[in-house]
Amino acid sequence: LEGTRLVYAKGYTFAEPEPVYRDIAPTTLFRMGSVSKTFCAIAAWKALADDPNVTRASKMQAILNLTQPDSSPPADPRFAEITIRHLLESNSGIDQGILRSIVDAVRKTNAPGTQPISAPTMAARIAAKDMDGEPGALLANGKRATSYGRTDYFLLGLVAAKLASAPDFEAGLKKLVLDSLEMSRTRLSRTRIEDQPADEARYHLPAITTNKSVVHDDRRLIPQQYGDDNLELFSSAGGVSAAIVDLARLCAMLSCADGNPLFSEAILSDMLSDAVAATAMGSDHGYHGFDAAKGTYPAVTCKKGGSLPGAKASFYGKTGARFVMIARNGESVDGAASVDLWTLAASVDWGDGDLFPYFGMTPLGIA
C-alpha cells in the first residue's frame, strides 16, 4: 500500500501447477490467525461509533449479561467491572488461556454430542471461571498489567455482534466493516478439511501431526491443521480468513482521513491514538487490534502478526505512508533466504496507480 492506494498484489505457488495444486492469487483466502483481532477491534470501534449510548468506558456485562452454565451470575464479582476498553487493550484481568483450555477439555470428554462447542457455551464457561486479576490493574512500575488478549477478543467479538444486532461475529463483521469497505473475500475460517472452500489456500505441516478432533462429534483422528482448534469458535480472536487484498483494504482505511467509509477523522484519530497510548502503558502486547502502535496521528506505525498450524499472516506500516502485508501457507523451511519486503517496497517508484478497482473496490478517500 501507498497511502490509501493498493499498488502491488501478487500470489506465488511453489508446487505442482493446477490441476494438481490450486494456484495462489491475491484473491486466495488465508487463515489470518491473530490478525483476526485487527478485524475485531475495527468492528468494535465501528459499533461504538454507530451507537451514541455506548462508549469505551461501557461495561461489557451491560451489553452481554453473561451467566454461568447454570444461569447463575459470573463466578468472580470483578467480571462486572470489565469495560470495552479493557477488552480492546488486553487488560481485563481474565485468564487469556481459557479458550484453548476449554476446547482441549472438551476434546478429552468421551460423552457424545459435545462437539463442536458453541460460542454461547464458551461464553458461559468463561463466566464460570475465576479471574487472574483486577480489570485495568497497574503494576508497581506504572505499566498496565496486560496479557495478550485472546479471551478478551473473543468477548469483544460478542460485544461487536450484539451492538450490531447480528447473530454472531461473522455477521456482525460483515455488517459493520466488510460491506462498507467492499471486502467480499473475508469470512470465518472453516476448520474441517471437508468444509474447505475452493477459494482458500491449503494448509501444510512438515510432519504428519495428528490429534483428536475438537470439531467432529466422533473424536476422529485429524491432521493438526484441520481440527486441532475450533476456528469458527475462536472467530474474532483468531478465526478469520481473508484474501490479502481485503487485508490491504483494511489497512488502507487506516490512512483514509477524508471520505472514510467507516470513521470520521476524529474517530480514526481516537482509535489510533488510543492504540499508541495503550502500547506505551502496556506490559505485554495486543492493543486495539495491533501488536503495537507508535507515533502521533496521522503518522502511526502499527503492526500485527498471526499464526496457526500451517498458516501465517502479518502487516506492518505507517498510516498515511506505506504498508506491507503478507499471508502464506505451509511452515518455515530451514535454510530459506529471507527477504526484507519493507526495504524492497521503499526502493520502488509505484507511480499514481491504484489496484483496488481491479479487485472490485472503489478507490478510498472519495467523499
Side-chain angles (χ1 to χ4, degrees), residues 136-160:
L138 290 174
L139 300 173
N141 62 3
K143 291 280 190 177
R144 292 279 180 204
T146 52
S147 180
Y148 183 54
R150 297 177 177 89
T151 310
D152 284 352
Y153 273 75
F154 168 79
L155 294 170
L156 185 63
L158 299 184
V159 168

Side-chain angles (χ1 to χ4, degrees), residues 34-45 60 84-92 94 96 99 126 147-160 169 233-238 275 278 285-291 304:
S34 284
V35 177
S36 305
K37 296 177 178 69
T38 308
F39 289 80
C40 175
I42 290 172
W45 270 90
M60 175 190 73
I84 296 174
R85 182 183 288 278
H86 292 142
L87 300 179
L88 282 163
E89 298 183 357
S90 300
N91 62 350
S92 70
I94 295 174
Q96 297 304 309
L99 290 184
I126 292 170
S147 180
Y148 183 54
R150 297 177 177 89
T151 310
D152 284 352
Y153 273 75
F154 168 79
L155 294 170
L156 185 63
L158 299 184
V159 168
F169 175 70
L233 177 65
F234 291 170
S235 62
S236 51
H285 67 294
Y287 312 105
H288 296 268
F290 307 114
D291 284 334
K304 187 77 191 82

Side-chain angles (χ1 to χ4, degrees), residues 123-362:
R125 294 186 183 184
I126 292 170
K129 301 285 188 179
D130 289 332
M131 292 171 54
D132 283 347
E134 297 285 342
L138 290 174
L139 300 173
N141 62 3
K143 291 280 190 177
R144 292 279 180 204
T146 52
S147 180
Y148 183 54
R150 297 177 177 89
T151 310
D152 284 352
Y153 273 75
F154 168 79
L155 294 170
L156 185 63
L158 299 184
V159 168
K162 187 69 176 290
L163 292 177
S165 300
D168 53 34
F169 175 70
E170 184 170 36
L173 180 64
K174 185 176 187 301
K175 181 177 180 179
L176 292 165
V177 177
L178 305 184
D179 287 349
S180 295
L181 287 177
E182 302 171 289
M183 294 164 57
S184 61
R185 304 173 184 93
T186 300
R187 58 167 178 261
L188 280 196
S189 302
R190 305 295 182 248
T191 303
R192 305 191 308 175
I193 193 167
E194 58 267 33
D195 294 339
Q196 296 303 299
D199 61 353
E200 184 149 346
R202 298 174 182 175
Y203 304 105
H204 309 275
L205 293 176
I208 302 175
T209 308
T210 61
N211 206 342
K212 190 183 291 186
S213 175
V214 298
V215 291
H216 296 89
D217 195 47
D218 59 7
R219 269 62 165 176
R220 70 188 62 175
L221 199 65
I222 44 82
Q224 183 183 0
Q225 66 270 35
Y226 288 115
D228 187 59
D229 284 331
N230 184 338
L231 300 181
E232 290 89 345
L233 177 65
F234 291 170
S235 62
S236 51
V240 170
S241 284
I244 204 69
V245 292
D246 273 22
L247 179 58
R249 186 72 163 184
L250 202 69
C251 292
M253 183 277 300
L254 299 175
S255 296
C256 186
D258 297 317
N260 192 308
L262 295 187
F263 301 127
S264 67
E265 185 175 13
I267 292 175
L268 185 63
S269 174
D270 284 349
M271 180 178 69
L272 293 169
S273 299
D274 273 17
V276 170
T279 299
M281 279 289 292
S283 62
D284 195 347
H285 67 294
Y287 312 105
H288 296 268
F290 307 114
D291 284 334
K294 298 181 180 180
T296 303
Y297 181 83
V300 174
T301 299
C302 44
K303 62 181 181 179
K304 187 77 191 82
S307 64
L308 289 165
K312 287 190 180 352
S314 64
F315 66 82
Y316 175 84
K318 179 184 287 187
T319 57
R322 177 179 301 110
F323 270 83
V324 173
M325 55 281 304
I326 188 168
R328 67 172 175 81
N329 58 345
E331 293 290 324
S332 299
V333 177
D334 291 341
S338 61
V339 178
D340 184 349
L341 294 177
W342 182 259
T343 301
L344 184 61
S347 69
V348 176
D349 180 0
W350 297 106
D352 299 323
D354 187 354
L355 294 178
F356 278 131
Y358 179 83
F359 294 105
M361 306 173 189
T362 55

